[in-house]
Every structure is written in C-alpha cells, then in structure tokens.
C-alpha cells in the first residue's frame, strides 16, 4: 500500500498560508476602509489634495489585492490536494461517503453478470475505485471494468506505476478543480499537464486597472 509521505508537508504549508491569508484579509479590510474614509472626506470637502489621496489609496488597495491573490489561490490548491488524501483514506477504510460517482449511468439492467458483481451503482466497484472526472476517463474506466479480460501489459504497468507514485494525487487534485465544461474537453490535453502554463496577458491586467480607476474617478466626479 502506498505510504503518504507528503501529506504532513501539505498540511504544514496550508496552515502557514491560512495564517497569511487571514492577515492579508485584515489588511485588505483596513485599506478598503481607508479608501472609503478619504472618499467621504473628498465628497464633503472637494479639494484637489483629497482627490489625489483618495485615488492613491484606492490604487494601493488594488495593487495589494493583486499581489496577494496568489496566496488565496495557493490556499485553494492545498485544500484540493488534502481533500484528495481524505478521499483515498475513505477508500482504504471502505467508506463510500464522499465517493459520489457510482457510475449508475453505465448500469445495464440486461447484463445480469454485471449486476450480480455490483460493478456499477451504489456501493459498487466503480464507486470504490473511480477517481475519473472527465467524460472520457469515466467511459474508459467503465469499459475496462466491463471487459475485464481486455488488459494489455502497457495498461497494467501504467496502473502499477501510478498506484505507487504519490505525485498522482496532485494530478487528481487538479482535475477535481475543473469545471464541467473543462471536463468535457478532449482528454489529450491532460497528457501534457506538467508543462502546461496558463496564458497571462499583461495588456488585460493594465486594461482592468485602468477601467477600475476610471470607474472610481467617474463615481467621484458624478
């Protein structure tokens, strides 16, 4: 049985990130309140100096939010990883709570052999072992369970390699976080997850900051 060696490492990281996120949330609240106060000052006593301070305080808030967003994303990522660990503990304890996908849609009432073996449905083999989240992955697993003798050495070796590699849980946590639209994409995109880099547009960032700024100024002027 695979030994979970990195779970404590992820828990420690999560505790540290949670502490930082709580601190950042407090600072965000203070900066937001500071911006609101200066806006109120400017509305009650319209002066150029107060306008400049109001704008600078608002920009400071936006910059701080942008710079700290990565910590909140890191917290979400670690929560997803540790949730995968919890699911695997449930499997080891034969606990079906939290194993939501029972493969009922693959159940064939005319196939008495599959029904007797409890391959699909509530508390089934599919529900017990499935970590598939994409449409193709679920269909592939269902087909492997239905055609139990259709197993190549390549398939068997892949299962053994993944089953003995704790890093597999990281892939599972990424897939768990996909929305329904992404889960129905071509499965081949998952073959290169390790080298995947999200596209980041600096132009869109600048446009967003400018739009926030113009909205803020228009509200003040109105």
């Amino acid at each position: 049985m695979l030994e979970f060696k990195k779970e404590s490492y992820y828990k420690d990281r999560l505790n540290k990130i949670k502490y930082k996120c709580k601190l950042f949330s407090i600072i965000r609240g203070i900066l937001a309140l500071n911006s609101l106060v200066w806006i109120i000052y400017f509305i009650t006593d319209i002066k150029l100096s107060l306008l400049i301070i109001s704008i600078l305080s608002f920009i400071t808030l936006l910059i701080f939010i942008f710079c700290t967003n990565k910590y909140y994303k890191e917290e979400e990522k670690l929560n997803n990883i540790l949730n995968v660990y919890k699911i695997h503990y449930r499997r080891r304890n034969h606990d079906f709570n939290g194993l939501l996908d029972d493969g009922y849609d693959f159940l064939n009432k005319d196939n008495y052999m599959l029904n007797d073996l409890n391959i699909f449905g509530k508390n089934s083999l599919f529900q017990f072992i499935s970590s598939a989240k994409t449409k193709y992955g679920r269909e592939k697993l269902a087909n492997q369970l239905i055609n139990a003798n259709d197993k190549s050495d390549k398939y068997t070796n892949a299962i053994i390699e993944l089953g003995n590699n704790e890093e597999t849980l990281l892939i599972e946590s990424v897939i768990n976080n996909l929305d329904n639209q992404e889960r129905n994409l071509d499965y081949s995109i998952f073959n290169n997850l390790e080298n995947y880099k999200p596209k980041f547009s600096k132009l869109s960032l600048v446009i967003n900051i400018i739009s926030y700024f113009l909205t803020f100024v228009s509200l003040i002027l109105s």
Side-chain angles (χ1 to χ4, degrees):
M1 182 179 292
L2 176 63
E3 181 182 357
F4 294 148
K5 298 180 180 180
K6 295 186 177 181
E7 184 183 10
S8 58
Y9 166 72
Y10 293 126
K11 286 182 177 179
D12 291 339
R13 279 182 61 189
L14 179 60
N15 290 333
K16 293 177 181 178
I17 290 294
K18 279 185 174 180
Y19 175 78
K20 289 182 179 180
C21 288
K22 288 180 180 179
L23 180 61
F24 292 150
S25 296
I26 294 173
I27 296 175
R28 283 184 177 189
I30 293 173
L31 291 176
L33 182 61
N34 178 67
S35 297
L36 180 61
V37 169
W38 283 112
I39 291 173
I40 294 174
Y41 276 143
F42 173 71
I43 293 175
T44 55
D45 185 13
I46 299 178
K47 292 181 180 179
L48 179 60
S49 59
L50 292 177
L51 173 61
I52 294 174
I53 294 175
S54 299
I55 293 174
L56 290 177
S57 62
F58 184 73
I59 292 176
T60 301
L61 173 63
L62 290 180
I63 293 175
F64 185 79
I65 290 175
F66 173 76
C67 292
T68 56
N69 267 344
K70 61 181 180 180
Y71 294 97
Y72 292 91
K73 292 180 180 178
E74 179 72 8
E75 181 183 14
E76 182 182 3
K77 174 185 174 182
L78 292 170
N79 278 319
N80 289 333
I81 293 173
L82 290 173
N83 185 56
V84 172
Y85 278 93
K86 291 179 182 178
I87 292 174
H88 280 272
Y89 279 123
R90 290 194 182 105
R91 288 196 177 97
R92 292 183 175 187
N93 295 324
H94 297 87
D95 180 8
F96 286 87
N97 292 325
L99 306 179
L100 303 180
D101 188 6
D102 59 9
Y104 182 82
D105 48 320
F106 298 112
L107 193 61
N108 184 355
K109 296 182 179 180
D110 296 329
N111 193 326
Y112 299 104
M113 183 183 70
L114 290 180
N115 295 335
D116 291 340
L117 294 175
N118 199 26
I119 301 298
F120 303 110
K122 187 177 180 180
N123 296 337
S124 64
L125 177 62
F126 184 93
Q127 184 179 5
F128 183 67
I129 68 173
S130 175
S131 59
K133 295 297 182 292
T134 65
K135 179 181 179 182
Y136 176 85
R138 295 181 71 254
E139 291 174 350
K140 188 70 175 178
L141 175 60
N143 183 63
Q144 290 290 346
L145 294 176
I146 294 172
N147 304 298
N149 295 324
D150 184 19
K151 300 289 187 296
S152 65
D153 292 338
K154 184 178 181 180
Y155 174 83
T156 304
N157 293 334
I159 294 297
I160 294 174
E161 181 179 351
L162 291 173
N164 292 319
N165 190 348
E166 193 173 354
E167 298 297 325
T168 303
L169 302 184
L170 299 182
I171 300 176
E172 186 176 342
S173 70
V174 173
I175 297 176
N176 283 348
N177 203 34
L178 299 179
D179 59 28
N180 291 330
Q181 182 177 3
E182 290 171 320
R183 291 177 183 181
N184 291 324
L185 292 175
D186 187 346
Y187 75 96
S188 62
I189 66 171
F190 299 109
N191 293 336
N192 200 31
L193 274 179
E194 183 179 355
N195 298 321
Y196 173 76
K197 294 182 179 179
K199 294 181 179 180
F200 178 77
S201 175
K202 293 183 179 179
L203 178 61
S204 62
L205 173 61
V206 173
I207 293 175
N208 285 333
I209 293 177
I210 293 175
S211 64
Y212 280 126
F213 174 74
L214 292 177
T215 301
F216 175 71
V217 173
S218 63
L219 286 173
I220 293 177
L221 293 176
S222 63

